[in-house]
Amino acid sequence: MDVNAASGVLDAELGWVILVAFGVFWVVLGAWLGRRNQDLEGYMLAGRKVGMALGTATAMATWVTSNTTMAAPQLALQMGIWGMVGYSLGAVGLILFAPLARRIRVLMPNGFTSGDFVRLRYGKVAWRVFLAISLFYAFGWLISMGMAGGVLIHALTGIDYRIGMSVIVWMCVAYTLLGGLRAVIGTDFIQTLIILVGVVTLAWLAMDRIGFDDMHAAVLEQRPELLNLLMPAAIMFLFNNLLFGVGEIFHSNVWWSRAFAFREGVGFKAYAVAGLFWAPIPIVAGFVALAVPALGINVPAADMVGPLVAAHLLGESGAILVFIVVFAALASSLDSLLAATSDLILTDLYKGHLKPDADPASLAKAARWVVLGLGLFTWLLCLPRLTTLAELLYFTGAFVASTIWPIATGLFWRRTNPGGATAAMVLGTGLGLASYFLVGFYVAALVSAAVSMSVVLLSTWLRPADFDWSALDPATTVMGGGTGR
Amino acid sequence: MASVRVSMLVLMCLLPLTAPTDWALDVSPASSSDGVFRLHWEGPGNTVSLEESTQGDFEHLLTVYAGDDRAVLISGKADGVYRYRLLDEGRNVVANATATVVHHPLARAWAFFSIGLLVFLATVWVVARGARGDDEVKS
């Protein structure tokens, strides 16, 4: 997709040097970090001994994704002030998950995946619906991440989208394959430091080079609605983004696997602190998009705005910095998602559906094949660049927001019943998708969450269950040998 | 037969490389409800200018873009009809396009906002109340 003939702020050779240097560094580091993995639990859950510093860093780094570094500027360019602010509300998901993480650790000290919980709490029908939603979302996120890598590299160096995308996808596959969750969390820690230092430096440099007055005047003249706090689509978007973020985090095995992997007592603090630290990042990242009119930059595709503006503002050194920061952000999310989705496929599909009697040794071998297969699948789907990042991402919003209430009430209420939870996910997703096409991408998650909440409340009121929390016993998890209720 | 197949294959490979002979300027979506649309063009040349008519008559013009790119994303537009024309290197008008912006009514926006706020507050209530109960159980 060559929409920008003039792209390539950096020399392609320099781009290749950075790509190869960082690629080799992350793969070697991942292999080194994973050297102590001795069994399946070590590979999948880092031995369940992750402490506070690593826990906070991995939660934060994973949530700083292409969403934050590339789609936040895109949404600032499309939705203006509320685009940035709405994006930072994604932090609410992390903060709200803090009590859930503690609850998960108490109820399921030996659990493996979010699918495990849904199966034991709501039964097999709800489990399968949940798996469909969760896997669809995971693929959407994986593809958006791979696409973001290709877009970034193309925008900054002119290297072909497919080549850049291939490098970032296979690099993450390599170190996830070699080191498992331990490698993912260890590299996340270093990637967080790079992201924080890079974003703060960029913001400071941007402030130094361009004044508020010029930016404001240019936006007001050329794109006035971006400063309109009563822009209708942006008003709709505000809670949509918040609920999308909550849905992503509440259901996804990316966050559940960390709740299982954190040492006891760490989950609550790690998620709460990560949320607070994360909140300003989309505002800083999104802010640069408002410089587009003042700088007279052409943005051929919405998701290229972040790298283009930063490179234009800050020249070659800025472009290198953006490259490294976004590369780290993408890698930190892509690896987490690869690991967590592989766990879900291994535990809930392979062991749960295909080979219930698989022993730990064969599962450990299968875990690596699943990572490899998932990487290949992601790469194939990323090859044709079908849509923009935000459009792809928000399409999945209709799916994930439908899980908020079944998950939250499933963890805290005995009375929520399986039929209600299943119907909430199905109807929430269906009506969320309808609103995506009938109204816009900025209401899909909101409608989905509202429908799901109504169904859960109504069904719980009409047919209250009396769930026995001990049914979440470790012996009945898929990995514990159980195959379901 | 084999040579025909080979010829067809060569032709298929060459087709995407053939340069377009006429200019085409597309706008997507043609009717926008959030003030965002994208103009994309294809044609036989490289350098182009894209102009926006600020009053519908092309007498008051704003040059939106001049250069080698093939697309422009427009955002932050208020309600209205926006007319664009594409000029080639010789300053000849080679294509036109029109985009219409009609934002959602504010009443609809506030309705969605209120629903979102309600769902959010209810979710916070479930989690906070559940977490408090969790503490009580643990203590």
Side-chain angles (χ1 to χ4, degrees), chain B residues 35-89:
Chain B
V36 180
F37 51 91
R38 185 167 176 264
L39 293 144
H40 175 259
W41 55 90
E42 291 292 340
N46 288 324
T47 308
V48 296
S49 297
L50 182 73
E51 294 177 342
E52 179 187 299
S53 167
T54 51
Q55 292 178 10
D57 52 5
F58 284 105
E59 294 206 353
H60 300 85
L61 294 167
L62 175 72
T63 301
V64 177
Y65 174 70
D68 295 346
D69 287 359
R70 295 285 174 189
V72 168
L73 181 88
I74 307 287
S75 67
K77 290 291 190 189
D79 284 355
V81 177
Y82 297 89
R83 292 185 171 81
Y84 294 89
R85 67 184 189 186
L86 191 71
L87 292 88
D88 64 11
E89 281 173 287

Side-chain angles (χ1 to χ4, degrees), chain B residues 10 13 23 31-32 39 55 63 67 75 80 86 90 99 109 115 120 127 131:
Chain B
V10 170
C13 292
W23 286 97
S31 180
S32 164
L39 293 144
Q55 292 178 10
T63 301
S75 67
L86 191 71
I115 294 168
F120 168 62
V127 173

Side-chain angles (χ1 to χ4, degrees), chain A residues 121-187:
Chain A
R121 179 65 182 83
Y122 292 128
K124 285 190 172 176
V125 177
W127 180 40
R128 285 173 182 144
V129 171
F130 176 83
L131 279 181
I133 289 173
S134 198
L135 287 173
F136 182 82
Y137 162 77
F139 291 137
W141 195 11
L142 273 169
I143 294 161
S144 79
M145 226 51 73
M147 276 172 54
V151 170
L152 165 82
I153 292 165
H154 175 66
L156 290 182
T157 66
I159 293 173
D160 186 79
Y161 160 80
R162 285 163 295 188
I163 297 173
M165 180 277 295
S166 303
V167 171
I168 196 156
V169 167
W170 288 111
M171 178 198 77
C172 290
V173 169
Y175 74 73
T176 307
L177 192 68
L178 293 168
L181 190 62
R182 215 184 290 271
V184 169
I185 289 177
T187 49

Side-chain angles (χ1 to χ4, degrees), chain A residues 61-71 87 137-153 161 164-169 172 248 254-255 326-338 378-379 382 388-390 392-393:
Chain A
T62 304
W63 206 219
V64 178
T65 64
S66 60
N67 309 10
T68 350
T69 49
M70 291 177 76
Y87 226 96
Y137 162 77
F139 291 137
W141 195 11
L142 273 169
I143 294 161
S144 79
M145 226 51 73
M147 276 172 54
V151 170
L152 165 82
I153 292 165
Y161 160 80
M165 180 277 295
S166 303
V167 171
I168 196 156
V169 167
C172 290
E248 283 181 281
V254 168
W255 311 100
V326 183
F327 196 67
L330 286 167
S332 67
S333 305
L334 196 53
D335 60 6
S336 301
L337 201 54
L338 272 171
T378 305
W379 178 74
C382 284
T388 72
L389 296 176
L392 174 65
L393 211 60

